[in-house]
Amino acid sequence: MLFFDVPHAEIIGRIERRRGIVKAGGFDRAAYSELAELGLAGLYISEADGGLGMGPVEGMVVMAYAEVGDRVDRLCRGLQELGVEQGDRVATFAWNSNYHLEAYLAAPCMGAVLHTLNIRLFPEQLVYVVNHAQDKVILVDGSLVDALAQHVDQFETVEHFVVMGEGDLSKLPGAISYEELLARQEPGFDYPAIDDRAAAALSNDVAELES
């Protein structure tokens, strides 16, 4: 997801030389800087705690796999609470972050369809793809609330807005906090058996819009 035009062997080699990225005394910034040279500033791996770390727009987030799994379970429950059923579209309007990772895992695994909205679309294109996909819920990064809010009166099928991170919820009708949604859910989730041919995700580009 965060690997760009860099040979896989080179990426692995750099990481292998920096196995102690997370040390007992704290985060190894030299190791992080080396990964940043490869465009991997948002990702690092630690053998010490078996954890995966992703850097959202603001700062660093360090999470163990078990914590990621728990949050994904709770997001699935939260989306169910919002009325999301198998086949429904769950859209994201967000940067690469731990929130986005959780959405990438949760929506398809519960049988919904993840719809990643391109934050660089022109307004009329954004409105078109949201309506054409019949998005039911939009997960929006707090820093992008203003960009999305100016179009909400044109969205025909969106029932809920969930704000990830810090953002002004009052600018979106009935918006709820992502963390509050997760916090009120019970742990665990009963994942359904999903047909291998079922849709998992949608993406948008200009070619699709013009077809």
Side-chain angles (χ1 to χ4, degrees):
M1 180 166 55
L2 295 180
F3 291 80
F4 301 104
D5 297 327
V6 179
H8 183 261
E10 182 177 350
I11 293 172
I12 298 301
R14 294 284 187 106
I15 293 176
E16 286 292 331
R17 292 196 296 275
R18 293 288 189 174
R19 288 181 176 273
I21 290 174
V22 176
K23 298 182 176 180
F27 180 63
D28 185 342
R29 302 225 167 249
Y32 181 73
S33 297
E34 184 167 354
L35 290 180
E37 294 174 7
L38 292 175
L40 299 176
L43 176 66
Y44 60 88
I45 299 171
S46 167
E47 283 193 340
D49 62 4
L52 175 149
M54 294 188 67
V57 176
E58 307 238 2
M60 291 296 301
V61 173
V62 180
M63 304 173 73
Y65 287 111
E67 184 179 356
V68 173
D70 177 65
R71 288 174 61 84
V72 170
D73 290 346
R74 290 174 186 270
L75 179 54
C76 289
R77 284 183 174 273
L79 291 173
Q80 273 193 341
E81 177 188 314
L82 299 179
V84 173
E85 300 177 347
Q86 290 194 31
D88 285 341
R89 277 64 163 173
V90 175
T92 58
F93 193 67
W95 310 99
N96 286 336
S97 68
N98 56 302
Y99 303 118
H100 218 164
L101 170 66
E102 291 156 12
Y104 261 82
L105 296 172
C109 288
M110 68 179 291
V113 180
L114 182 73
H115 184 201
T116 53
L117 298 171
N118 187 336
I119 62 175
R120 295 174 177 84
L121 288 177
F122 290 112
E124 63 274 15
Q125 294 175 330
L126 177 62
V127 171
Y128 172 82
V129 296
V130 168
N131 292 336
H132 187 262
Q134 299 181 329
D135 293 331
K136 191 169 189 175
V137 175
I138 297 182
L139 307 177
V140 53
D141 190 279
S143 66
L144 298 173
V145 166
D146 287 341
L148 190 68
Q150 57 188 307
H151 310 301
V152 294
D153 59 341
Q154 299 178 68
F155 295 152
E156 299 170 355
T157 61
V158 179
E159 299 178 7
H160 300 282
F161 297 93
V162 180
V163 178
M164 304 181 292
E166 298 296 325
D168 188 350
L169 275 64
S170 68
K171 294 185 177 181
L172 297 170
I176 58 178
S177 162
Y178 183 93
E179 291 297 342
E180 290 180 6
L181 180 65
L182 266 60
R184 63 180 183 237
Q185 308 304 322
E186 296 293 328
F189 183 74
D190 185 14
Y191 289 93
I194 301 172
D195 191 310
D196 289 344
R197 296 164 295 182
L202 292 171
S203 63
N204 305 118
D205 59 31
V206 174
E208 290 176 317
L209 293 172
E210 295 177 344
S211 63

